[in-house]
C-alpha cells in the first residue's frame, strides 16, 4: 500500500490514502512551490539572454504560478495534480517568497510571513531561522526528522531576504544570531547543517538549554552564506560616510 511505502515527509498523510499504490509516487503527481519558483527564475534569465520563447512564456508562467500556489491570502507550498493544496507551515513558502519578490506585494509578503510565524526559530531571544516543516515530531532522532521540525541555516538566508525587503529589524537579528552560533558552537569552515528544537525534559538544565541544538553534519556549502554580512558592513560604511559628510557641512555653515 502507498501508506506503507517510504514517502517524502512533505506529503500529507491523508493524501496517501488517495493514491492507487506505492508505484504512483514515482509519477509526477505534485507541484512544489520552490522548484517552480526556480523555473520562473530560469525563464527570466533566458529572457535577458534574448531567448524569445522564454520571453513569451515567462509572463504566462508567472500568472499561472500565482493562481496555483497563492490565493485568498494563503500560500501553498505543495499542490497535487488533482487540485489538493497543502497549507502546512514550512520553509519552502519563505524560500519561494524570497526567490520571487516581484510577484508579491509588500502586504502579501507580510501576510505570508505572518502565516508561517509559528515556524520561526529563536536563539538567545534573537530570530535564528525557520523550520523546514512544522511537524508534531518536535525532536530530532535520525533522518526520519531530517525534513521535519528542524532548522537549516540555508533557509535562514531566504528568511533574511524577506525581512530585509520589508525593512523588518529582525533581519539584523538573523545576522547576529548566526554569527554568534559560528563563533560559539562552530569553528573556522565548520558550522552545523541543521538544528533540532530544544524541547523535552532536560534533567540538568543550564542557561543555554533553550538554544537550538546543533545536530547532523558540518554544514553543506549552501549553508555557508556570507553575502548579507558584506552588504551589512558596506551599508554601515556608507551610513558613516554620509553622517561624517553631514557633520562637516554643518561645521562649515
Amino acid at each position: 500500500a502507498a501508506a506503507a511505502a517510504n514517502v517524502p515527509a512533505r506529503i500529507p498523510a491523508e493524501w496517501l490514502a488517495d493514491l492507487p499504490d506505492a508505484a504512483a509516487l514515482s509519477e509526477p503527481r505534485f507541484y512544489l512551490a520552490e522548484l517552480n519558483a526556480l523555473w520562473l527564475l530560469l525563464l527570466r534569465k533566458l529572457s535577458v539572454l534574448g531567448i524569445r520563447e522564454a520571453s513569451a512564456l515567462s509572463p504566462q508562467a508567472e500568472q499561472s504560478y500565482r493562481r496555483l500556489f497563492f490565493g485568498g491570502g494563503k500560500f501553498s507550498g505543495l499542490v497535487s495534480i488533482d487540485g489538493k493544496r497543502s497549507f502546512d507551515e514550512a520553509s519552502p513558502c519563505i524560500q519561494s517568497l524570497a526567490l520571487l519578490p516581484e510577484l508579491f506585494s509588500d502586504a502579501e509578503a507580510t501576510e505570508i510571513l505572518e502565516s508561517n510565524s509559528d515556524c520561526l526559530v529563536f536563539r538567545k531571544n534573537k530570530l535564528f531561522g525557520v523550520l523546514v516543516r512544522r511537524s508534531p515530531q518536535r525532536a530530532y532522532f535520525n533522518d526520519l526528522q531530517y525534513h521535519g521540525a528542524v532548522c537549516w541555516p540555508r533557509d535562514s538566508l531566504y528568511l533574511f531576504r524577506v525581512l530585509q525587503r520589508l525593512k523588518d529589524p529582525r533581519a539584523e537579528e538573523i545576522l547576529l544570531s548566526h554569527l554568534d552560533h559560528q563563533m560559539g558552537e562552530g569553528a573556522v569552515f565548520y558550522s552545523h547543517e541543521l538544528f533540532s528544537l530544544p524541547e523535552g525534559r532536560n534533567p540538568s538544565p543550564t542557561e543555554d538549554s533553550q538554544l537550538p541544538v546543533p545536530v547532523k553534519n558540518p554544514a553543506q556549502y549552501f549553508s555557508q552564506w556570507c553575502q548579507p554580512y558584506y552588504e551589512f558592513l558596506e551599508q554601515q560604511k556608507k551610513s558613516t560616510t554620509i553622517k561624517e559628510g553631514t557633520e562637516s557641512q554643518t561645521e562649515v555653515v
Side-chain angles (χ1 to χ4, degrees):
N6 291 325
V7 299
R10 192 166 169 182
I11 301 176
E14 59 272 19
W15 288 15
L16 300 179
D18 297 332
L19 296 177
D21 51 46
L25 286 170
S26 64
E27 303 171 2
R29 307 187 66 89
F30 306 101
Y31 299 101
L32 306 180
E34 74 282 10
L35 293 186
N36 279 273
L38 290 170
W39 165 240
L40 293 185
L41 288 180
L42 175 61
L43 289 178
R44 291 180 181 178
K45 297 295 185 182
L46 293 175
S47 298
V48 172
L49 293 174
I51 307 300
R52 287 180 297 177
E53 292 83 357
S55 300
L57 182 59
S58 185
Q60 178 183 347
E62 293 184 1
Q63 293 176 12
S64 297
Y65 185 93
R66 278 188 60 95
R67 286 196 301 268
L68 185 63
F69 295 107
F70 184 73
K74 292 185 177 181
F75 190 93
S76 173
L78 177 69
V79 181
S80 69
I81 58 174
D82 55 357
K84 292 194 293 288
R85 286 175 167 77
S86 170
F87 294 103
D88 289 347
E89 297 172 37
S91 62
C93 299
I94 303 297
Q95 181 180 355
S96 303
L97 179 58
L99 290 171
L100 299 171
E102 302 88 354
L103 228 58
F104 303 94
S105 66
D106 285 353
E108 290 171 337
T110 300
E111 199 166 12
I112 294 172
L113 184 61
E114 290 179 350
S115 67
N116 287 275
S117 60
D118 288 341
C119 278
L120 300 183
V121 178
F122 294 82
R123 185 179 186 277
K124 294 184 179 180
N125 297 319
K126 291 183 174 63
L127 185 58
F128 184 73
V130 57
L131 294 179
V132 176
R133 186 171 59 89
R134 192 182 177 205
S135 167
Q137 297 181 355
R138 306 283 288 181
Y140 178 88
F141 295 105
N142 51 50
D143 283 353
L144 293 178
Q145 292 83 41
Y146 190 74
H147 293 272
V150 292
C151 177
W152 294 4
R154 70 163 193 178
D155 289 335
S156 299
L157 176 58
Y158 296 112
L159 178 60
F160 169 82
R161 290 302 186 195
V162 173
L163 294 172
Q164 184 185 44
R165 166 199 176 172
L166 297 175
K167 296 180 174 57
D168 190 313
R170 292 178 296 177
E172 188 172 323
E173 289 185 12
I174 292 179
L175 298 183
L176 292 173
S177 60
H178 271 263
L179 186 61
D180 183 64
H181 152 65
Q182 290 183 335
M183 299 301 292
E185 297 176 318
V188 176
F189 303 123
Y190 184 105
S191 58
H192 295 274
E193 181 180 351
L194 72 158
F195 294 77
S196 180
L197 295 173
E199 300 195 5
R201 297 181 62 182
N202 189 335
S204 303
T206 68
E207 61 180 357
D208 294 331
S209 296
Q210 296 304 310
L211 303 186
V213 182
V215 292
K216 201 58 179 176
N217 307 316
Q220 298 170 353
Y221 180 74
F222 50 39
S223 292
Q224 296 289 338
W225 45 268
C226 58
Q227 186 62 31
Y229 291 100
Y230 288 116
E231 294 172 359
F232 178 80
L233 293 174
E234 186 65 26
Q235 185 61 40
Q236 292 295 104
K237 180 180 178 180
K238 289 181 179 179
S239 298
T240 302
T241 302
I242 293 174
K243 181 179 179 181
E244 291 176 349
T246 303
E247 290 176 349
S248 298
Q249 291 177 6
T250 303
E251 291 175 3
V252 171
V253 173

